[in-house]
Amino acid sequence: MKNTDIELEFSTDKSKLDIGLIHEFLTNSYWAKGRTIEAVKKSIENSFCFGIYLNTQQIGFARVLSDNVFAYVTDLFIIETYRGKGFSKVLLEKMLSHQELAEIELWFLATKDSQILYKKFGFTMISNPEMYMIRGKNSSKSKWYISPDANSSL
């Protein structure tokens, strides 16, 4: 997407990522609150990453965990100032059509507030959630804490 005023770039080059910006956003997000910069660096190191840049300034990010059959999308965001301008759609389009991820059979993600966006790209609610399980830190202070009562019917 180019015109005389703006240049939008999409890249998988990890050396271009603004780690400070990514950490600042994630550590204040509902899903990664308090994540350390070390954890952010490690997660980037171990993931397929995407940056979106407006006039060379990073405005968004996403990472994908994959074995080339299954993929999990996480940490996808557009900085608040740039939301509502279609940049998240561009990021998703580029990510989902990327040649290195073309053979993915099953994509997963978790969101509490962006279902409408993801549905536009073919994501649906899990029709059989009873088949899926999760394991998180065993602490009620963890954002991943699962109450023992959650499995009382098993």
Side-chain angles (χ1 to χ4, degrees):
M1 179 186 296
K2 288 185 180 183
N3 70 29
T4 56
D5 298 318
I6 66 165
E7 184 175 329
L8 190 63
E9 181 186 357
F10 174 83
S11 177
T12 58
D13 182 352
K14 291 180 184 179
S15 70
K16 293 181 76 164
L17 294 172
D18 182 338
I19 305 299
L21 173 104
I22 295 166
H23 174 253
E24 182 177 339
F25 185 92
L26 292 177
T27 197
N28 291 301
S29 68
Y30 72 82
W31 70 89
K33 191 158 217 53
R35 189 177 292 171
T36 66
I37 193 149
E38 293 80 16
V40 169
K41 288 177 182 177
K42 186 85 166 170
S43 68
I44 288 171
E45 179 183 317
N46 291 302
S47 303
F48 199 83
C49 298
F50 300 86
I52 187 166
Y53 305 85
L54 182 62
N55 299 327
T56 70
Q57 176 188 354
Q58 187 171 354
I59 62 166
F61 175 74
R63 25 184 221 105
V64 175
L65 307 167
S66 180
D67 62 1
N68 284 329
V69 174
F70 164 91
Y72 183 77
V73 179
T74 189
D75 294 342
L76 191 148
F77 69 86
I78 299 294
I79 294 173
E80 197 165 339
T81 308
Y82 298 99
R83 291 184 190 162
K85 298 174 176 25
F87 296 128
S88 61
K89 292 180 184 101
V90 171
L91 180 56
L92 277 162
E93 279 175 11
K94 297 289 189 178
M95 182 185 70
L96 293 169
S97 65
H98 194 278
Q99 63 188 11
E100 290 188 48
L101 301 174
E103 301 301 317
I104 302 296
E105 294 178 24
L106 191 60
W107 290 83
F108 282 88
L109 60 80
T111 184
K112 135 175 139 173
D113 56 7
S114 297
Q115 289 85 349
I116 292 170
L117 170 67
Y118 294 117
K119 282 182 180 181
K120 292 176 184 177
F121 290 88
F123 286 89
T124 62
M125 300 304 282
I126 293 175
S127 60
N128 49 354
E130 68 280 358
M131 288 180 55
Y132 298 89
M133 299 180 76
I134 187 170
R135 181 175 186 266
K137 288 186 176 182
N138 192 15
S139 165
S140 61
K141 294 180 181 181
S142 169
K143 64 183 164 289
W144 300 111
Y145 176 68
I146 301 146
S147 166
D149 297 334
N151 293 317
S152 62
S153 64
L154 298 179

